[in-house]
Coordinates of all heavy atoms in Angstrom, one line a residue:
M248 N -32.7 -89.3 -175.7 CA -31.9 -88.1 -175.8 C -32.9 -87.0 -176.2 O -33.4 -86.8 -177.3 CB -30.9 -88.3 -177.0 CG -30.2 -87.1 -177.4 SD -28.7 -87.2 -178.3 CE -29.1 -88.2 -179.7
H249 N -33.2 -86.1 -175.2 CA -34.1 -85.0 -175.4 C -33.5 -83.9 -176.2 O -34.2 -83.0 -176.6 CB -34.6 -84.5 -174.0 CG -33.6 -83.8 -173.2 ND1 -32.8 -84.5 -172.4 CD2 -33.4 -82.5 -173.0 CE1 -32.0 -83.7 -171.8 NE2 -32.4 -82.4 -172.1
E250 N -32.1 -83.9 -176.4 CA -31.5 -82.9 -177.1 C -32.0 -82.8 -178.6 O -32.0 -81.7 -179.2 CB -29.9 -83.1 -177.1 CG -29.2 -82.6 -175.9 CD -29.3 -83.7 -174.7 OE1 -29.9 -84.8 -175.0 OE2 -28.8 -83.4 -173.7
L251 N -32.4 -84.0 -179.1 CA -32.9 -84.0 -180.5 C -34.2 -83.1 -180.6 O -34.4 -82.3 -181.4 CB -33.1 -85.4 -181.0 CG -33.7 -85.6 -182.4 CD1 -32.8 -84.9 -183.4 CD2 -33.9 -87.0 -182.7
G252 N -35.1 -83.3 -179.6 CA -36.3 -82.6 -179.6 C -36.1 -81.1 -179.3 O -36.7 -80.2 -180.0
L253 N -35.1 -80.8 -178.5 CA -34.7 -79.4 -178.2 C -34.2 -78.7 -179.5 O -34.6 -77.6 -179.9 CB -33.7 -79.3 -177.1 CG -34.1 -79.6 -175.7 CD1 -32.9 -79.7 -174.8 CD2 -35.2 -78.6 -175.2
T254 N -33.4 -79.5 -180.2 CA -32.8 -79.0 -181.4 C -33.8 -78.7 -182.5 O -33.8 -77.7 -183.2 CB -31.7 -79.9 -181.9 OG1 -30.7 -80.1 -180.9 CG2 -31.0 -79.4 -183.2
R255 N -34.8 -79.6 -182.6 CA -35.9 -79.4 -183.6 C -36.6 -78.2 -183.3 O -37.0 -77.4 -184.2 CB -36.8 -80.6 -183.6 CG -36.3 -81.9 -184.3 CD -37.2 -83.0 -184.2 NE -36.7 -84.2 -184.9 CZ -37.0 -85.4 -184.6 NH1 -37.8 -85.7 -183.6 NH2 -36.5 -86.4 -185.3
N256 N -36.9 -77.9 -182.0 CA -37.6 -76.7 -181.6 C -36.7 -75.4 -181.9 O -37.3 -74.4 -182.4 CB -37.9 -76.7 -180.1 CG -39.0 -77.7 -179.8 OD1 -39.8 -78.0 -180.7 ND2 -39.0 -78.2 -178.6
I257 N -35.4 -75.5 -181.7 CA -34.5 -74.3 -182.0 C -34.6 -74.0 -183.4 O -34.8 -72.9 -183.8 CB -33.1 -74.6 -181.5 CG1 -33.1 -74.7 -180.0 CG2 -32.1 -73.6 -182.0 CD1 -31.8 -75.3 -179.4
V258 N -34.4 -75.1 -184.3 CA -34.4 -74.9 -185.7 C -35.8 -74.3 -186.2 O -35.8 -73.4 -187.0 CB -34.0 -76.2 -186.5 CG1 -34.2 -76.0 -187.9 CG2 -32.5 -76.5 -186.2
A259 N -36.9 -74.8 -185.6 CA -38.2 -74.4 -186.0 C -38.4 -72.9 -185.7 O -38.9 -72.1 -186.5 CB -39.3 -75.3 -185.4
I260 N -38.0 -72.5 -184.5 CA -38.2 -71.2 -184.0 C -37.4 -70.2 -184.8 O -37.9 -69.2 -185.3 CB -37.9 -71.0 -182.5 CG1 -38.9 -71.8 -181.7 CG2 -37.8 -69.6 -182.1 CD1 -38.5 -72.0 -180.2
V261 N -36.1 -70.5 -185.0 CA -35.2 -69.6 -185.7 C -35.7 -69.5 -187.2 O -35.7 -68.5 -187.8 CB -33.8 -70.0 -185.6 CG1 -32.9 -69.1 -186.4 CG2 -33.4 -69.8 -184.1
S262 N -36.0 -70.7 -187.8 CA -36.4 -70.7 -189.2 C -37.7 -69.8 -189.4 O -37.8 -69.1 -190.4 CB -36.8 -72.1 -189.6 OG -35.6 -72.9 -189.7
E263 N -38.6 -69.9 -188.5 CA -39.8 -69.1 -188.6 C -39.5 -67.6 -188.6 O -40.1 -66.9 -189.4 CB -40.8 -69.4 -187.4 CG -42.1 -68.7 -187.5 CD -43.0 -69.1 -186.3 OE1 -42.9 -70.2 -185.8 OE2 -43.9 -68.2 -186.0
H264 N -38.6 -67.2 -187.7 CA -38.2 -65.8 -187.7 C -37.4 -65.4 -188.8 O -37.4 -64.2 -189.3 CB -37.5 -65.5 -186.3 CG -38.5 -65.5 -185.2 ND1 -39.1 -64.4 -184.7 CD2 -38.8 -66.5 -184.4 CE1 -39.9 -64.8 -183.7 NE2 -39.7 -66.1 -183.5
A265 N -36.6 -66.3 -189.4 CA -35.6 -66.0 -190.4 C -36.3 -65.8 -191.8 O -35.8 -65.1 -192.6 CB -34.5 -67.0 -190.5
G266 N -37.4 -66.5 -192.0 CA -38.0 -66.5 -193.3 C -37.1 -67.2 -194.3 O -36.7 -68.3 -194.1
A267 N -36.8 -66.5 -195.4 CA -35.9 -67.0 -196.4 C -34.5 -66.6 -196.2 O -33.6 -67.0 -197.0 CB -36.4 -66.5 -197.8
R268 N -34.2 -65.8 -195.2 CA -32.8 -65.4 -194.9 C -32.0 -66.5 -194.3 O -32.4 -67.1 -193.4 CB -32.8 -64.2 -194.0 CG -33.4 -63.0 -194.6 CD -33.5 -61.8 -193.6 NE -34.5 -62.2 -192.6 CZ -34.8 -61.3 -191.6 NH1 -34.2 -60.2 -191.5 NH2 -35.7 -61.7 -190.7
A269 N -30.8 -66.7 -194.9 CA -29.9 -67.7 -194.4 C -29.3 -67.3 -193.0 O -28.9 -66.1 -192.8 CB -28.7 -68.0 -195.4
V270 N -29.2 -68.2 -192.1 CA -28.7 -67.9 -190.8 C -27.2 -68.3 -190.7 O -26.9 -69.4 -191.1 CB -29.6 -68.7 -189.7 CG1 -29.0 -68.5 -188.3 CG2 -31.0 -68.3 -189.8
K271 N -26.4 -67.5 -190.1 CA -25.0 -67.7 -190.0 C -24.6 -68.3 -188.7 O -23.8 -69.1 -188.6 CB -24.3 -66.3 -190.2 CG -22.8 -66.4 -190.0 CD -22.2 -65.0 -190.2 CE -20.7 -65.1 -190.0 NZ -20.1 -63.7 -190.2
R272 N -25.3 -67.9 -187.6 CA -25.0 -68.3 -186.3 C -26.2 -68.2 -185.3 O -27.0 -67.3 -185.4 CB -23.9 -67.4 -185.7 CG -23.4 -67.7 -184.3 CD -22.3 -66.7 -183.9 NE -22.7 -65.3 -183.8 CZ -23.2 -64.8 -182.7 NH1 -23.2 -65.5 -181.6 NH2 -23.6 -63.5 -182.6
V273 N -26.2 -69.2 -184.4 CA -27.3 -69.2 -183.4 C -26.5 -69.3 -182.1 O -25.6 -70.1 -181.9 CB -28.2 -70.4 -183.5 CG1 -29.2 -70.5 -182.4 CG2 -29.0 -70.4 -184.9
Q274 N -26.9 -68.5 -181.1 CA -26.2 -68.5 -179.8 C -27.3 -68.9 -178.8 O -28.4 -68.3 -178.7 CB -25.7 -67.1 -179.5 CG -24.9 -67.0 -178.2 CD -24.4 -65.6 -178.0 OE1 -25.2 -64.7 -177.7 NE2 -23.1 -65.4 -178.1
L275 N -26.9 -69.9 -178.0 CA -27.7 -70.4 -176.9 C -27.1 -70.0 -175.6 O -25.9 -70.2 -175.4 CB -27.9 -71.9 -177.0 CG -28.5 -72.5 -178.3 CD1 -28.5 -74.0 -178.2 CD2 -29.9 -72.0 -178.5
A276 N -28.0 -69.6 -174.6 CA -27.6 -69.4 -173.2 C -28.0 -70.7 -172.5 O -29.1 -71.1 -172.5 CB -28.3 -68.2 -172.6
V277 N -27.0 -71.3 -171.8 CA -27.2 -72.6 -171.2 C -26.6 -72.5 -169.8 O -25.4 -72.3 -169.6 CB -26.6 -73.8 -171.9 CG1 -26.9 -75.1 -171.2 CG2 -27.1 -73.8 -173.4
G278 N -27.5 -72.8 -168.8 CA -27.0 -72.8 -167.4 C -26.5 -74.2 -167.0 O -26.8 -75.2 -167.6
P279 N -25.8 -74.3 -165.9 CA -25.2 -75.5 -165.4 C -26.3 -76.6 -165.0 O -26.0 -77.8 -164.9 CB -24.3 -75.2 -164.3 CG -24.8 -73.8 -163.8 CD -25.4 -73.2 -165.0
H280 N -27.5 -76.1 -164.7 CA -28.5 -77.0 -164.2 C -29.6 -77.2 -165.3 O -30.7 -77.7 -164.9 CB -29.1 -76.5 -162.9 CG -28.1 -76.3 -161.8 ND1 -27.4 -77.4 -161.3 CD2 -27.6 -75.2 -161.3 CE1 -26.6 -76.9 -160.3 NE2 -26.7 -75.6 -160.3
A281 N -29.3 -76.9 -166.5 CA -30.3 -77.0 -167.6 C -30.5 -78.5 -168.1 O -31.4 -78.8 -168.8 CB -29.9 -76.2 -168.8
C282 N -29.6 -79.4 -167.6 CA -29.7 -80.8 -168.0 C -29.6 -81.0 -169.5 O -30.4 -81.7 -170.1 CB -30.9 -81.5 -167.4 SG -30.9 -81.5 -165.6
V283 N -28.7 -80.2 -170.1 CA -28.5 -80.3 -171.6 C -27.1 -80.6 -171.9 O -26.1 -80.0 -171.3 CB -28.9 -78.9 -172.2 CG1 -28.6 -78.9 -173.7 CG2 -30.3 -78.6 -172.0
E284 N -26.9 -81.6 -172.7 CA -25.5 -82.0 -173.1 C -25.2 -81.2 -174.4 O -25.7 -81.4 -175.5 CB -25.5 -83.5 -173.4 CG -24.1 -84.0 -173.9 CD -23.0 -83.7 -173.0 OE1 -23.1 -84.0 -171.8 OE2 -22.0 -83.3 -173.5
R285 N -24.3 -80.3 -174.3 CA -23.9 -79.4 -175.4 C -23.4 -80.1 -176.6 O -23.7 -79.8 -177.7 CB -22.8 -78.3 -174.9 CG -23.4 -77.4 -173.9 CD -22.4 -76.5 -173.4 NE -22.9 -75.7 -172.3 CZ -22.4 -74.5 -171.9 NH1 -21.4 -74.0 -172.5 NH2 -23.0 -73.9 -170.9
Q286 N -22.6 -81.1 -176.4 CA -22.0 -81.9 -177.5 C -23.1 -82.6 -178.3 O -23.1 -82.6 -179.5 CB -21.0 -82.9 -177.0 CG -20.2 -83.6 -178.1 CD -19.1 -84.5 -177.5 OE1 -19.1 -84.9 -176.3 NE2 -18.2 -84.9 -178.4
A287 N -24.1 -83.1 -177.6 CA -25.3 -83.8 -178.2 C -26.1 -82.8 -179.0 O -26.6 -83.1 -180.1 CB -26.1 -84.5 -177.2
L288 N -26.3 -81.6 -178.4 CA -27.0 -80.5 -179.1 C -26.3 -80.2 -180.4 O -27.0 -80.0 -181.5 CB -27.1 -79.3 -178.3 CG -28.4 -79.1 -177.5 CD1 -28.3 -77.8 -176.7 CD2 -29.6 -79.1 -178.3
T289 N -25.0 -80.0 -180.4 CA -24.2 -79.7 -181.5 C -24.4 -80.7 -182.6 O -24.6 -80.5 -183.8 CB -22.7 -79.4 -181.2 OG1 -22.7 -78.4 -180.2 CG2 -21.9 -79.0 -182.4
F290 N -24.3 -82.0 -182.2 CA -24.4 -83.1 -183.1 C -25.8 -83.1 -183.8 O -25.9 -83.2 -185.0 CB -24.2 -84.5 -182.4 CG -24.4 -85.7 -183.3 CD1 -23.4 -86.0 -184.2 CD2 -25.6 -86.4 -183.2 CE1 -23.7 -87.2 -185.0 CE2 -25.8 -87.5 -184.0 CZ -24.9 -87.9 -184.9
C291 N -26.8 -82.9 -183.0 CA -28.2 -82.9 -183.5 C -28.4 -81.7 -184.4 O -29.2 -81.8 -185.4 CB -29.2 -82.9 -182.3 SG -29.2 -84.5 -181.4
F292 N -27.9 -80.6 -184.1 CA -28.1 -79.3 -184.8 C -27.7 -79.5 -186.2 O -28.4 -79.1 -187.1 CB -27.3 -78.2 -184.1 CG -27.5 -76.9 -184.8 CD1 -28.7 -76.2 -184.5 CD2 -26.6 -76.3 -185.6 CE1 -28.9 -74.9 -185.1 CE2 -26.8 -75.1 -186.2 CZ -28.0 -74.4 -186.0
D293 N -26.5 -80.1 -186.5 CA -26.1 -80.3 -187.9 C -27.0 -81.2 -188.7 O -27.3 -80.9 -189.8 CB -24.6 -80.9 -187.8 CG -23.6 -79.9 -187.3 OD1 -23.8 -78.7 -187.4 OD2 -22.5 -80.4 -186.9
M294 N -27.6 -82.2 -188.0 CA -28.5 -83.1 -188.7 C -29.8 -82.4 -189.0 O -30.4 -82.4 -190.1 CB -28.8 -84.3 -187.9 CG -27.6 -85.3 -187.9 SD -28.1 -86.9 -187.2 CE -29.1 -86.5 -185.8
V295 N -30.4 -81.7 -187.9 CA -31.7 -81.1 -188.1 C -31.7 -79.9 -189.0 O -32.7 -79.6 -189.7 CB -32.2 -80.8 -186.6 CG1 -33.5 -80.0 -186.7 CG2 -32.4 -82.0 -185.8
A296 N -30.6 -79.2 -189.0 CA -30.5 -77.9 -189.8 C -30.3 -78.2 -191.3 O -30.6 -77.3 -192.1 CB -29.4 -77.1 -189.2
A297 N -29.9 -79.4 -191.6 CA -29.7 -79.7 -193.0 C -30.9 -79.5 -193.9 O -32.0 -79.9 -193.5 CB -29.2 -81.2 -193.1
G298 N -30.8 -78.8 -194.9 CA -31.9 -78.5 -195.8 C -32.7 -77.3 -195.4 O -33.8 -77.1 -196.0
T299 N -32.3 -76.6 -194.3 CA -33.1 -75.4 -193.8 C -32.2 -74.2 -194.0 O -31.1 -74.3 -194.4 CB -33.5 -75.6 -192.4 OG1 -32.3 -75.4 -191.6 CG2 -34.1 -77.0 -192.1
V300 N -32.8 -73.1 -193.6 CA -32.0 -71.8 -193.7 C -30.9 -71.8 -192.6 O -30.0 -70.9 -192.7 CB -32.9 -70.6 -193.5 CG1 -33.9 -70.4 -194.7 CG2 -33.7 -70.6 -192.2
L301 N -30.9 -72.8 -191.8 CA -29.9 -72.8 -190.8 C -28.7 -73.8 -191.2 O -27.8 -73.9 -190.4 CB -30.4 -73.3 -189.4 CG -31.2 -72.3 -188.7 CD1 -32.6 -72.3 -189.0 CD2 -31.0 -72.5 -187.2
E302 N -28.8 -74.4 -192.3 CA -27.8 -75.3 -192.8 C -26.4 -74.6 -192.8 O -26.3 -73.5 -193.4 CB -28.1 -75.9 -194.1 CG -27.1 -77.0 -194.6 CD -27.5 -77.7 -195.8 OE1 -28.5 -77.4 -196.4 OE2 -26.9 -78.7 -196.1
G303 N -25.4 -75.1 -192.2 CA -24.1 -74.6 -192.2 C -23.9 -73.5 -191.1 O -22.8 -73.0 -190.9
A304 N -24.9 -73.2 -190.4 CA -24.8 -72.2 -189.3 C -24.0 -72.7 -188.1 O -24.0 -73.9 -187.9 CB -26.2 -71.8 -188.8
D305 N -23.3 -71.8 -187.4 CA -22.6 -72.2 -186.2 C -23.5 -72.2 -185.0 O -24.4 -71.3 -185.0 CB -21.5 -71.2 -186.0 CG -20.4 -71.3 -187.0 OD1 -20.1 -72.4 -187.5 OD2 -19.8 -70.2 -187.3
L306 N -23.3 -73.1 -184.1 CA -24.1 -73.1 -182.9 C -23.1 -72.8 -181.8 O -22.1 -73.5 -181.5 CB -24.7 -74.5 -182.7 CG -25.6 -74.6 -181.4 CD1 -26.8 -73.7 -181.5 CD2 -26.1 -76.1 -181.3
D307 N -23.4 -71.6 -181.1 CA -22.4 -71.2 -180.0 C -23.2 -71.2 -178.7 O -24.4 -71.0 -178.6 CB -22.0 -69.7 -180.3 CG -21.2 -69.6 -181.5 OD1 -20.5 -70.6 -181.9 OD2 -21.1 -68.5 -182.1
F308 N -22.5 -71.4 -177.6 CA -23.0 -71.4 -176.3 C -22.4 -70.3 -175.5 O -21.2 -70.0 -175.6 CB -22.7 -72.8 -175.6 CG -23.3 -73.9 -176.4 CD1 -22.6 -74.6 -177.3 CD2 -24.6 -74.3 -176.2 CE1 -23.1 -75.7 -178.0 CE2 -25.2 -75.4 -176.8 CZ -24.4 -76.1 -177.7
I309 N -23.2 -69.7 -174.6 CA -22.7 -68.8 -173.6 C -23.2 -69.3 -172.3 O -24.2 -70.0 -172.1 CB -23.1 -67.3 -173.8 CG1 -24.7 -67.2 -173.8 CG2 -22.6 -66.8 -175.1 CD1 -25.1 -65.7 -173.8
E310 N -22.4 -69.0 -171.2 CA -22.8 -69.4 -169.9 C -24.0 -68.6 -169.3 O -24.0 -67.4 -169.6 CB -21.6 -69.3 -168.9 CG -20.4 -70.1 -169.3 CD -20.6 -71.6 -169.4 OE1 -21.4 -72.1 -168.5 OE2 -20.1 -72.3 -170.3
A311 N -24.8 -69.3 -168.7 CA -26.0 -68.6 -168.0 C -26.1 -69.2 -166.6 O -25.3 -70.1 -166.2 CB -27.3 -68.9 -168.8
E312 N -27.1 -68.7 -165.9 CA -27.2 -69.1 -164.5 C -28.3 -70.2 -164.4 O -29.2 -70.3 -165.2 CB -27.6 -67.9 -163.6 CG -26.5 -66.9 -163.6 CD -26.9 -65.7 -162.7 OE1 -28.0 -65.8 -162.0 OE2 -26.1 -64.7 -162.6
G313 N -28.2 -71.0 -163.4 CA -29.2 -72.0 -163.0 C -29.6 -72.9 -164.1 O -28.8 -73.6 -164.8
D314 N -30.9 -73.0 -164.3 CA -31.4 -74.0 -165.3 C -31.8 -73.2 -166.6 O -32.6 -73.7 -167.4 CB -32.6 -74.7 -164.8 CG -33.8 -73.9 -164.4 OD1 -33.7 -72.6 -164.5 OD2 -34.9 -74.4 -164.1
T315 N -31.2 -72.1 -166.9 CA -31.5 -71.3 -168.1 C -31.2 -72.1 -169.3 O -30.1 -72.7 -169.5 CB -30.7 -70.0 -168.1 OG1 -31.0 -69.2 -166.9 CG2 -30.9 -69.2 -169.4
F316 N -32.1 -72.1 -170.3 CA -31.9 -72.7 -171.6 C -32.7 -71.8 -172.6 O -34.0 -71.9 -172.6 CB -32.3 -74.1 -171.7 CG -32.0 -74.7 -173.1 CD1 -30.8 -75.1 -173.5 CD2 -33.1 -74.8 -174.0 CE1 -30.5 -75.6 -174.7 CE2 -32.9 -75.4 -175.2 CZ -31.6 -75.7 -175.6
K317 N -32.0 -71.0 -173.4 CA -32.8 -70.1 -174.3 C -32.0 -69.7 -175.5 O -30.7 -69.7 -175.4 CB -33.4 -68.9 -173.6 CG -32.3 -67.9 -173.1 CD -33.0 -66.7 -172.4 CE -32.0 -65.8 -171.8 NZ -32.6 -64.6 -171.2
I318 N -32.7 -69.4 -176.6 CA -32.0 -68.8 -177.7 C -31.7 -67.4 -177.4 O -32.6 -66.6 -177.1 CB -32.9 -68.9 -179.0 CG1 -33.3 -70.3 -179.3 CG2 -32.2 -68.2 -180.2 CD1 -34.4 -70.5 -180.3
R319 N -30.4 -67.1 -177.4 CA -30.0 -65.8 -177.0 C -30.1 -64.8 -178.2 O -30.6 -63.7 -178.0 CB -28.6 -65.8 -176.4 CG -27.9 -64.6 -176.0 CD -28.7 -64.0 -174.8 NE -28.1 -62.7 -174.5 CZ -27.7 -62.4 -173.3 NH1 -27.8 -63.2 -172.3 NH2 -27.1 -61.2 -173.1
E320 N -29.5 -65.2 -179.3 CA -29.6 -64.4 -180.5 C -29.2 -65.3 -181.7 O -28.7 -66.4 -181.6 CB -28.6 -63.2 -180.4 CG -27.2 -63.6 -180.4 CD -26.3 -62.3 -180.3 OE1 -26.8 -61.3 -179.8 OE2 -25.1 -62.5 -180.7
Y321 N -29.5 -64.7 -182.9 CA -29.1 -65.4 -184.1 C -28.7 -64.3 -185.1 O -29.1 -63.2 -185.0 CB -30.1 -66.3 -184.7 CG -31.6 -65.8 -184.7 CD1 -32.0 -65.1 -185.8 CD2 -32.4 -65.9 -183.6 CE1 -33.3 -64.6 -185.9 CE2 -33.7 -65.4 -183.7 CZ -34.1 -64.7 -184.8 OH -35.4 -64.2 -184.8
E322 N -27.8 -64.7 -186.0 CA -27.2 -63.7 -187.0 C -27.4 -64.3 -188.4 O -27.3 -65.5 -188.7 CB -25.7 -63.6 -186.7 CG -25.0 -62.7 -187.5 CD -23.5 -62.6 -187.1 OE1 -23.1 -63.2 -186.0 OE2 -22.7 -62.2 -187.9
F323 N -27.8 -63.4 -189.3 CA -28.0 -63.8 -190.7 C -26.7 -63.6 -191.5 O -25.8 -62.8 -191.2 CB -29.1 -62.9 -191.3 CG -30.4 -63.0 -190.6 CD1 -30.9 -62.0 -189.9 CD2 -31.1 -64.2 -190.7 CE1 -32.1 -62.1 -189.2 CE2 -32.4 -64.4 -190.0 CZ -32.9 -63.3 -189.3
R324 N -26.6 -64.4 -192.6 CA -25.5 -64.3 -193.5 C -25.6 -63.0 -194.3 O -26.8 -62.6 -194.6 CB -25.5 -65.5 -194.4 CG -25.2 -66.8 -193.7 CD -24.9 -67.9 -194.7 NE -24.9 -69.2 -194.0 CZ -23.8 -69.6 -193.4 NH1 -22.7 -68.9 -193.3 NH2 -23.9 -70.8 -192.8
E325 N -24.5 -62.5 -194.7 CA -24.5 -61.3 -195.6 C -25.0 -61.8 -196.9 O -24.5 -62.8 -197.5 CB -23.1 -60.7 -195.7 CG -22.6 -60.2 -194.4 CD -23.2 -58.9 -194.0 OE1 -23.6 -58.1 -194.9 OE2 -23.4 -58.7 -192.7
E326 N -25.8 -61.0 -197.6 CA -26.2 -61.3 -198.9 C -25.3 -60.6 -199.9 O -24.9 -59.5 -199.7 CB -27.7 -60.8 -199.1 CG -28.6 -61.6 -198.3 CD -30.1 -61.4 -198.7 OE1 -30.3 -61.1 -199.9 OE2 -30.9 -61.5 -197.8
A327 N -25.0 -61.4 -200.9 CA -24.0 -60.8 -201.9 C -24.8 -60.0 -203.0 O -25.9 -60.1 -203.3 CB -23.3 -61.9 -202.6

């Protein structure tokens, strides 16, 4: 299951950019030929994000063309 490796990379990239800020949502653009199982990514995301600034973040998908697979955007939680 390569989705686990993809998820580790997503969490590492977003964590690096987020620093200490908690992440609320990550949006991925995924095309029909990306050979990525969205349900498996979602399952892996919850496990991999545990204990990081992405813990509890939502993972959203948007449709893309071809074999596109990229982090489209991420959103930080509001600080109180």
